[in-house]
Amino acid sequence: MTPEFRPPRRLNVFAFDPSTARSFANRNARTVKITLPYELDPPDLGKPFYGPKGKYVEVVDFDPASGAFYAPVNLNDDAVMFNDGLPPSPENPQFHQQMVYAVSMNTIAAFEEALGRVVQWAPTEKKIERKGKDPEWTYDFTRRLRIYPHALREANAYYHPAKKALLFGYFTAGPDSTSAPSGTTVFTCLSHDIIVHETVHAILDGLHPTFAEDANPDMRALHEAFADIIALFQLFSFPSVLEEQIAKTRGDLSRQNLLGELAQEFGQAVGRGCSLRDFLGSVNEHGVWEAQEPDPTKLRDATGPHDRGAVLVAAVFRAFLTIYKTRVGDLFRIASNGSGVLRDGAIDPDLKRRLASEAAQCARRVMRICIRAMDYTPPVNVSFGDYLRAIITADRDLFPEDAQGYRAAFIEAFASWGILPEGIAAISEPALCWPTLDIAEADRQALRGISEDMSWLDKIHSNLGLMLSQPRKMLSHFASPMSIDGEDRRARYQEEVKRAQVEAQQVGILIHDRLTRFNDASTTMTVKEKVPARALQLDVNLLEVDDSRDREIVYHASSHYQRLLWLLMNSASSPRFAELTGLTFSPDAPATVRRSRTTFLPSLHVSAVRIARRQGQRGQPEREYVIEVIQTRRGYFDPDRQAHEDARPIDPKDSERASDFKFRAGTTFLVDARSFKIRRLIRSTYAVDDPDGLAACRAYVDGTDAQAANAFYSGRSSRAAAFADLHHPPHIKDGFR
């Protein structure tokens, strides 16, 4: 049997963590089996500490604190496969490797199902020194995320963006531990919740690298909350765990149960007396558990990323509970002869299974909604209110009818916790949706007091369609950029065109090589039969070649499209289009707005061109392109210096000048994959040249810098340390972040 046709593998993992597994009360929910595709490489005998290694992740089991190399587990061994992997064992490093591999891959699968495309890690940055010139930074495809199960001897775990790695720590339980016995070792790599949480950080960093920037009170909080949300709802994918908690709560998931908590062992081992995150409620000063009621003022008073993030998670969990209770109301009425109150005693087994099925279905839908919303946010400077709008818009576009009231539940839950977008006159589903292109243009004309037709957009849509469907032909259009003034600027533009042409050839070679090897390995079909010959000349949609399942092809194709879109928008920038999208190409923009060295106009960074494939309400396939563009401005704490820098003569090299912080603005375009027309515009609250936006960013960054070092701006600690700083608690009682 060839590897391509091997059956899926099943692997044993802890459902929660070792301390929960030791509990007699949780004996029926100790472990679960995760089903994954057969995709692991054979063990590398030349690297004895390399554990499971597949298409997405590789486990490296080196312990720097003790200098130990742990032997890798061979998950391809027949005996191991027959027994669904190694049995869960806290003392076996090989099981630790199995646990982090299985849980991280299961998390990746959840994202690919929701987004309709392969997961990509953030690109690897490389610094190239050039003699007599400034160094140049390049970005390359990151093939695998590395996972170190025993990287730290401390009560911590975090994603390291520079290493493209997950680092898990271990520590000794103290005398105040209420989970692991005092003096025993607690491994964060054995907590299902912590593994999911850190994997989500890595996935989100690949999806939105700028979300790690601390530009407003919600950015880092959103990173933390989103990781918690996915970790929370991943627990609902295990039927045995779900049925156990349904039985204990008699179907009322708003009561205290393990599904509403995260990192139980960790939180209790560091002396908190409860789980690290508890979204249902908490234990009061008398040791009694109390349900958590919504508080619309809590977000206003919360200042740190973890306190603010907890509010967002609580809102999402409240929406889930509302949906679940509505869906199971009929089951309770049937089981209680219409009263809705179950008789005393154990819950009926059939009712338990039905309630668990409904809870699992609700949880999957809520988790997919939350994941899909990440394609519907502005690319930078995102707030919780923006995320609510993204949730509502993404779900409405795919499920227009919403017969079961999911969106109403989200709106009500978010409002009850005080999470609402600014500037919305009425809180309703239509008002919360991001504007379509037609609505955005009508608003633009109304604000300017003009009335124009939209025929000028036809050219933009035509160029978008040509770029996506026939990139090779589009390149030929850039050969004579007559719309760029000045011979010197045209020469620089031509250099960018040549780079794109070289890049196009490289992508073509890669596609040819991958498809040839695919054909040789698994089919007798020739390359010409697999895809048209013109595909190898880049005359077809690159994101659709080979169904976009090859991650390296997808990465390079997306990078090529980013360059083409940059060429397109710099060759014929439209003032009306810029005004519509919230971008600026005005030569009169402040000098602190980053300039293009080609046109001397405000520059544009195309941060993403990706495709999303989804299944609509009636099973129909839906496809769209997600395009993100960002503009950047240098910011200074001193307003007088800001005014001085804004008035400097225009020099593109000034973009590299030191500044106190960076202010970014941007727009996400959702483009229909059939017509290549822009469907929706999702803009950040402020444009890059908006003084109010700059002032808001200055006030926030200046305030946070006064409290602690800021990890995201020049002159401070590197971005690589951002997640470590975010996850390293100031006091041990605060635990893992």
Side-chain angles (χ1 to χ4, degrees):
M1 186 181 297
T2 61
E4 287 76 15
F5 297 100
R6 291 222 180 197
R9 77 169 77 238
R10 286 158 57 86
L11 295 173
N12 297 299
V13 300
F14 285 119
F16 296 94
D17 50 42
S19 66
T20 307
R22 286 192 297 268
S23 169
F24 181 79
N26 299 317
R27 62 191 179 278
N28 295 325
R30 290 174 174 173
T31 63
V32 294
K33 297 183 190 295
I34 290 178
T35 302
L36 300 171
Y38 185 96
E39 58 97 46
L40 286 175
D41 294 346
D44 190 340
L45 300 179
K47 298 177 179 178
F49 50 89
Y50 273 60
K53 178 180 177 181
K55 295 179 181 178
Y56 292 84
V57 303
E58 60 181 341
V59 181
V60 182
D61 209 354
F62 171 61
D63 183 349
S66 59
F69 296 85
Y70 299 109
V73 60
N74 182 7
L75 296 179
N76 290 335
D77 181 80
D78 289 341
V80 174
M81 291 190 65
F82 180 79
N83 291 291
D84 294 336
L86 301 177
S89 172
E91 67 276 2
N92 185 356
Q94 291 184 313
F95 171 73
H96 298 191
Q97 301 166 22
Q98 173 179 304
M99 176 98 180
V100 294
Y101 168 75
V103 176
S104 62
M105 286 299 298
N106 195 43
T107 307
I108 291 168
F111 273 79
E112 293 194 337
E113 179 186 9
L115 295 175
R117 60 175 178 273
V118 292
V119 161
Q120 297 282 25
W121 310 120
T124 301
E125 300 179 16
K126 295 180 180 179
K127 186 177 182 180
I128 301 177
E129 299 292 346
R130 301 187 300 172
K131 188 175 181 180
K133 297 182 179 180
D134 293 334
E136 180 179 354
W137 287 92
T138 63
Y139 301 88
D140 202 2
F141 171 63
T142 300
R143 188 171 301 280
R144 297 179 184 90
L145 178 75
R146 283 191 169 184
I147 305 178
Y148 295 84
H150 311 105
L152 313 163
R153 189 173 290 181
E154 59 179 89
N156 200 15
Y158 59 88
Y159 162 63
H160 196 299
K163 295 180 182 293
K164 302 297 182 290
L166 305 184
L167 309 181
F168 292 94
Y170 62 93
F171 62 98
T172 301
D176 296 329
S177 172
T178 57
S179 58
S182 177
T184 61
T185 304
V186 176
F187 295 94
T188 61
C189 69
L190 294 181
S191 168
H192 184 278
D193 309 318
I194 293 176
I195 299 170
V196 175
H197 181 102
E198 297 309 328
T199 305
V200 173
H201 274 313
I203 293 173
L204 187 54
D205 193 45
L207 189 62
H208 290 295
T210 54
F211 276 23
E213 295 187 350
D214 198 14
N216 67 44
D218 290 343
M219 289 290 287
R220 294 171 70 190
L222 179 60
H223 233 294
E224 282 294 287
F226 184 67
D228 277 347
I229 288 167
I230 305 306
L232 172 67
F233 288 112
Q234 277 283 78
L235 297 175
F236 286 79
S237 63
F238 305 128
S240 60
V241 173
L242 190 53
E243 290 185 15
E244 174 78 4
Q245 299 306 305
I246 289 286
K248 286 186 175 182
T249 62
R250 296 173 56 78
D252 184 3
L253 291 177
S254 63
R255 294 167 55 188
Q256 184 179 18
N257 69 82
L258 294 176
L259 294 172
E261 303 176 356
L262 291 180
Q264 292 92 346
E265 180 181 52
F266 186 98
Q268 294 167 1
V270 297
R272 296 184 80 247
C274 59
S275 64
L276 187 60
R277 307 276 201 270
D278 193 328
F279 305 115
L280 296 177
S282 58
V283 178
N284 62 23
E285 64 272 16
H286 304 295
V288 178
W289 188 89
E290 292 180 335
Q292 184 173 205
E293 293 298 323
D295 181 357
T297 68
K298 190 170 183 178
L299 185 64
R300 181 194 62 199
D301 300 331
T303 56
H306 307 108
D307 289 342
R308 294 184 68 84
V311 176
L312 178 59
V313 180
V316 172
F317 195 72
R318 181 174 177 82
F320 161 76
L321 288 177
T322 299
I323 297 165
Y324 165 74
K325 289 179 180 179
T326 301
R327 287 179 62 98
V328 301
D330 59 339
L331 296 178
F332 277 96
R333 289 190 295 272
I334 293 171
S336 61
N337 294 323
S339 70
V341 180
L342 299 179
R343 60 175 173 79
D344 294 337
I347 191 172
D348 183 89
D350 291 329
L351 178 60
K352 178 182 70 175
R353 285 191 291 271
R354 285 287 290 112
L355 292 173
S357 175
E358 290 293 339
Q361 186 175 344
C362 290
R364 283 195 298 270
R365 172 83 182 273
V366 168
M367 184 169 68
R368 286 197 296 265
I369 288 173
C370 291
I371 293 174
R372 282 199 302 264
M374 283 299 172
D375 275 348
Y376 280 69
T377 65
V380 290
N381 236 331
V382 182
S383 68
F384 286 174
D386 292 335
Y387 187 56
L388 172 60
R389 298 189 70 180
I391 285 172
I392 300 304
T393 311
D395 194 64
R396 185 183 174 97
D397 281 356
L398 203 58
F399 299 96
E401 295 175 7
D402 191 30
Q404 296 170 338
Y406 278 75
R407 295 193 288 275
F410 269 98
I411 294 171
E412 181 185 77
F414 274 58
S416 70
W417 279 102
I419 302 176
L420 294 171
E422 294 183 6
I424 299 292
I427 304 303
S428 66
E429 185 178 311
L432 287 170
C433 283
W434 293 112
T436 62
L437 186 68
D438 291 344
I439 292 176
E441 172 62 6
D443 290 344
R444 182 188 76 87
Q445 293 189 24
L447 287 173
R448 291 181 58 85
I450 58 176
S451 179
E452 301 175 337
D453 62 40
M454 296 180 63
S455 58
W456 58 273
L457 277 170
D458 294 341
K459 182 63 174 177
I460 291 175
H461 290 149
S462 175
N463 285 334
L464 274 176
L466 187 63
M467 182 196 79
L468 291 166
S469 62
Q470 296 177 282
R472 182 170 174 266
K473 185 176 181 180
M474 191 67 186
L475 264 175
S476 65
H477 283 238
F478 297 137
S480 301
M482 300 307 297
S483 59
I484 295 180
D485 297 329
E487 184 175 343
D488 185 47
R489 295 183 185 180
R490 280 198 294 270
R492 291 196 185 97
Y493 188 88
Q494 289 286 8
E495 290 180 6
E496 294 296 327
V497 172
K498 289 178 181 178
R499 287 190 183 186
Q501 290 171 338
V502 171
E503 186 178 65
Q505 293 175 350
Q506 293 172 341
V507 177
I509 292 171
L510 176 65
I511 293 174
H512 180 277
D513 176 63
R514 290 302 170 88
L515 294 183
T516 300
R517 284 194 287 133
F518 172 82
N519 293 332
D520 290 344
S522 61
T523 181
T524 58
M525 191 182 298
T526 65
V527 175
K528 289 185 178 180
E529 291 171 330
K530 177 66 180 175
V531 293
R534 65 181 184 277
L536 307 181
Q537 301 173 1
L538 302 188
D539 208 19
V540 295
N541 192 314
L542 298 177
L543 293 177
E544 305 269 10
V545 171
D546 195 30
D547 198 30
S548 295
R549 304 311 297 176
D550 188 305
R551 292 173 54 244
E552 189 169 5
I553 288 178
V554 173
Y555 172 81
H556 288 291
S558 178
S559 297
H560 185 59
Y561 277 135
Q562 290 174 40
R563 190 182 297 276
L564 291 182
L565 187 61
W566 184 93
L567 290 168
L568 174 62
M569 299 192 76
N570 277 279
S571 65
S573 59
S574 165
R576 283 180 293 186
F577 184 69
E579 186 179 0
L580 176 63
T581 58
L583 304 171
T584 179
F585 298 114
S586 171
D588 298 326
T592 50
V593 175
R594 181 171 291 171
R595 251 49 180 200
S596 166
R597 296 193 180 192
T598 301
T599 64
F600 289 9
L601 296 176
S603 66
L604 187 75
H605 171 58
V606 182
S607 60
V609 178
R610 51 181 178 257
I611 192 169
R613 298 178 184 84
R614 290 147 188 169
Q615 194 172 41
Q617 192 159 359
R618 295 174 178 80
Q620 76 278 11
E622 299 287 350
R623 293 159 44 250
E624 66 183 357
Y625 298 100
V626 183
I627 298 174
E628 297 176 355
V629 293
I630 298 172
Q631 292 188 304
T632 302
R633 182 178 180 181
R634 303 193 315 278
Y636 299 89
F637 293 140
D638 184 351
D640 291 336
R641 186 180 179 191
Q642 184 76 57
H644 173 75
E645 294 289 335
D646 285 343
R648 287 173 60 91
I650 300 300
D651 185 349
K653 293 182 180 179
D654 282 351
S655 298
E656 308 304 323
R657 288 170 60 87
S659 62
D660 295 324
F661 62 95
K662 302 293 184 186
F663 172 56
R664 304 189 200 276
T667 302
T668 298
F669 306 86
L670 300 181
V671 180
D672 184 87
R674 297 183 182 89
S675 65
F676 301 110
K677 291 184 177 180
I678 298 171
R679 290 198 311 104
R680 291 192 186 273
L681 291 175
I682 302 170
R683 297 168 289 201
S684 55
T685 303
Y686 302 102
V688 74
D689 56 351
D690 191 320
D692 292 337
L694 180 67
C697 186
R698 175 190 296 119
Y700 172 73
V701 176
D702 197 15
T704 55
D705 281 355
Q707 302 169 28
N710 188 296
F712 303 97
Y713 298 103
S714 58
R716 294 164 174 83
S717 57
S718 67
R719 180 179 179 273
F723 288 95
D725 294 342
L726 185 60
H727 281 207
H728 199 291
H731 305 291
I732 194 65
K733 67 181 180 65
D734 289 334
F736 155 83
R737 297 300 189 188

